[in-house]
Structure formats: C-alpha cells, structure tokens
C-alpha cells in the first residue's frame, strides 16, 4: 500500500512514499525501519540571522547519533530540520539538501505531516496528551486510518513494550497520562512516537528534566530501540553521549557574529578518546562550554 504526498501545484509530479499496510504496521517495529539521513551544505537562518552554515554529515540507519555542543550552537535547530519542525516558526529558511533514504525532504511536494509520521520526535519535557495512556499511544495510528480494535491493541502493546513501559501500565491503560511519573510520561511519549512506525526518532534532551533513575530507564530504552529505529539525540551530558551513542557530532558557534558549524563528526569512542580537532577535545574535557 502506498500513499501519495501532497502536490504543490498542477503539473508537479507527486513524491510517492511507501507506507506500510495495516497488517504490516502490526508486524513489528524493526521490519519498517530504514532511516538514514544525508545532510549536504545545510544552513539555517532566522530572518537575516544565519545561525548554522555548511553542515555536511551522514546519519546512519539503526544507530544512535548524538549532537553535542555548547548552548546556542544550533543543535536543536539542526535536529528540527530533520522533520521540518522549523517550518512551523515561519521565519526560518533552510538551505542545502537533506535526504531521508535518498528522498529530498525539503522539496515542497513533501507533506511535513507525513514526514513527521516517519520521523517522530520526543521533546525535552514530557508532553503527553490530556487523555488516557491507551489513547495517547493510539492517537497517531488512528490519524493514519487504523480503526480496528485488535490492530490498535496490538500497536499499543508493541509500542509500550518498545518504550519499556508495558509491564508498568498494562493493567491501567485507561488511567490518565498525567497520573504517571515524569519518567513514565517521557517513556509514554516515546511509545506514542513509536506507534506510527517511524524510521527515525528525534530526541531533544529527553532526560534533562528527569531524576537519575528515570534517566537510566530512558537510556536503557534508547539502547533497546536502536536495533529497530534510527535515533538522533541532542544532549548536553557528555557522559550520556559517551554511554548511549554510536556516532557523535560536535557543533560550535565561536562568536555571536558567526554562524554555527559542524566541527567534527565520527565514531563516539574515537571522538571521546582521540578527536581530530582541538576544539572538540577542549569541549569534551570541559575547558569551555
């Protein structure tokens, strides 16, 4: 089964993106995961202020890529480019090319809503919908047209298991999401993102507002998920980046008069033991930032 994304104007060929059928969606998260990005000369400007310039990097499928760097260096802005959340700000211009599985996601024919089904996002603070645990997870699949209760039940259970929350809530799925602890709410948001069968999950400091135990649960969840989905995470915690990521990208804005640049990207172990750039070493060892 395929769905055709919106056509910008008459005579423009639509981009056809394969979407799983209802049966496929209940067949397992791993089977639908692809999710490799290529960024080429990506720049971002807020009005006349160029805040990111010249980013070139590969984000491999089924791995955790961490974006690190000082506050204000454009990590979250770059993350939002990957599912076009910056579009919602109105004044943001993104240049260069960003491809997902070879498809240029910046083309106007690409429907951002459809893209966000493929590239889910978990934010810094838990933001469950004001409804039950079950309805939070089932929300996305319902918008995709899934109505049969058995299909929804299977997706809800699978997604909650994927977020390591099923055993804690399986007997109380009708419970209001706001009754969960902060760490549970964040894992519920991860489950909600997983329920649309994404290829990629973006995480913007997902554990920064949580206690150490909840943080460990989120990190354990990420470690389990990376075998089935691509994960891109923004973090200020160097120990966290070293623990959970396979690749790390270091961004830096060296002055307010200059845009941020990608200084270095590579295997996390090498970045944290033998970085190529002295600025990377200085940041990782705490000399600035």
């Amino acid at each position: 089964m395929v769905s055709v994304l919106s056509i910008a104007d008459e005579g423009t060929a639509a981009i056809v993106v394969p979407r799983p059928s209802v049966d496929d969606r209940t067949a397992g998260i791993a089977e639908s995961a692809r999710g490799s990005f290529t960024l080429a000369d990506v720049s971002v400007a807020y009005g006349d202020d160029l805040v990111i310039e010249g980013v070139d990097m590969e984000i491999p499928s089924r791995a955790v890529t961490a974006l690190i760097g000082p506050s204000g260096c454009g990590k979250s802005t770059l993350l939002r480019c990957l599912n076009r959340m910056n579009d919602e700000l109105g004044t943001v211009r993104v240049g260069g090319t960003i491809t997902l599985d070879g498809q240029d996601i910046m083309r106007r024919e690409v429907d951002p809503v459809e893209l966000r089904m493929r590239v889910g996002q978990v934010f810094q603070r838990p933001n469950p919908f004001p409804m039950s645990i079950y309805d939070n997870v089932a929300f996305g699949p319902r918008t995709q047209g899934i109505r049969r209760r058995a299909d929804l039940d299977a997706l809800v259970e699978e997604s909650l298991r994927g977020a390591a929350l099923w055993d804690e809530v399986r007997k109380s799925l009708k419970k209001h999401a706001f009754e969960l602890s902060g760490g549970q709410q964040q894992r519920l948001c991860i489950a909600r993102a997983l329920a649309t069968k994404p290829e990629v999950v973006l995480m913007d400091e997902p554990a920064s507002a949580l206690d150490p135990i909840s943080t460990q649960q989120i990190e354990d969840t990420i470690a389990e998920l990376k075998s089935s989905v691509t994960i891109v995470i923004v973090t200020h915690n160097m120990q966290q980046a070293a623990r959970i990521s396979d690749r790390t990208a270091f961004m830096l804005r060296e002055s307010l008069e200059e845009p941020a640049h990608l200084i270095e990207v590579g295997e996390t172990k090498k970045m944290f033991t033998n970085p190529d750039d002295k600025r990377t070493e200085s940041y990782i060892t705490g000399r600035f930032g």
Side-chain angles (χ1 to χ4, degrees):
M1 179 180 179
V2 298
S3 67
V4 180
L5 303 188
S6 62
I7 302 175
D9 50 46
E10 187 173 350
T12 302
I15 296 176
V16 179
V17 180
R19 296 294 297 166
S21 65
V22 171
D23 291 339
D24 292 338
R25 287 169 179 164
T26 58
I29 291 172
E31 294 179 11
S32 64
R34 298 187 304 259
S36 62
F37 279 102
T38 298
L39 284 67
D41 196 27
V42 172
S43 64
V44 182
Y46 292 105
D48 295 329
D49 183 18
L50 184 63
V51 295
I52 297 175
E53 184 178 45
V55 172
D56 296 296
M57 66 181 295
E58 301 284 338
I59 298 175
S61 176
R62 300 189 189 186
V64 179
T65 298
L67 302 180
I68 64 171
S71 296
C73 72
K75 303 182 299 297
S76 295
T77 297
L78 185 65
L79 188 78
R80 290 194 299 267
C81 290
L82 301 180
N83 65 352
R84 289 180 52 179
M85 285 294 289
N86 286 323
D87 290 11
E88 306 305 315
L89 301 178
T91 60
V92 178
R93 291 180 290 107
V94 179
T97 304
I98 303 174
T99 62
L100 171 60
D101 301 329
Q103 177 196 17
D104 183 354
I105 66 170
M106 301 308 297
R107 292 179 62 181
R108 60 181 179 174
E109 298 95 328
V110 174
D111 182 355
V113 175
E114 178 76 12
L115 175 65
R116 290 166 200 157
M117 293 291 183
R118 299 171 62 193
V119 185
Q121 184 160 357
V122 177
F123 298 91
Q124 183 174 358
R125 293 188 177 278
N127 62 338
F129 298 148
M131 54 184 66
S132 71
I133 294 168
Y134 185 99
D135 288 337
N136 261 271
V137 182
F139 184 88
R142 282 172 173 151
T143 65
Q144 293 176 315
I146 299 176
R147 293 287 184 269
R148 198 161 69 96
R149 183 68 185 216
D151 292 334
L152 288 171
D153 288 350
L155 275 168
V156 168
E157 178 176 348
E158 180 185 22
S159 302
L160 287 168
R161 286 188 183 278
L165 189 58
W166 173 253
D167 289 341
E168 297 170 42
V169 302
R170 62 187 179 88
K171 295 182 180 179
S172 54
L173 295 177
K174 294 182 180 179
K175 185 176 182 178
H176 199 286
F178 291 172
E179 296 181 52
L180 299 174
S181 69
Q184 288 175 322
Q185 287 186 21
Q186 192 67 306
R187 282 182 284 148
L188 176 61
C189 292
I190 293 173
R192 188 177 66 197
L194 293 175
T196 61
K197 297 296 187 179
E199 300 168 37
V200 184
V201 176
L202 310 178
M203 298 186 175
D204 194 351
E205 297 190 71
S208 65
L210 303 179
D211 61 83
I213 293 175
S214 296
T215 295
Q216 183 63 58
Q217 291 173 325
I218 295 294
E219 291 185 7
D220 290 345
T221 299
I222 290 171
E224 291 291 327
L225 287 175
K226 74 176 185 178
S227 64
S228 58
V229 294
T230 303
I231 296 174
V232 187
I233 180 170
V234 168
T235 181
H236 280 105
N237 187 322
M238 294 301 95
Q239 291 78 18
Q240 183 175 77
R243 284 193 300 266
I244 67 173
S245 68
D246 301 289
R247 287 172 61 81
T248 298
F250 171 53
M251 297 183 65
L252 182 63
R253 190 173 191 177
E254 299 193 74
S255 75
L256 293 177
E257 291 72 37
E258 300 178 50
H261 292 87
L262 178 65
I263 303 301
E264 185 172 350
V265 60
E267 183 185 357
T268 295
K269 183 177 180 180
K270 180 182 183 303
M271 286 271 284
F272 278 80
T273 58
N274 187 28
D276 292 330
D277 194 288
K278 289 294 184 182
R279 292 168 293 182
T280 308
E281 181 181 2
S282 295
Y283 180 72
I284 287 174
T285 56
R287 293 177 198 167
F288 72 90

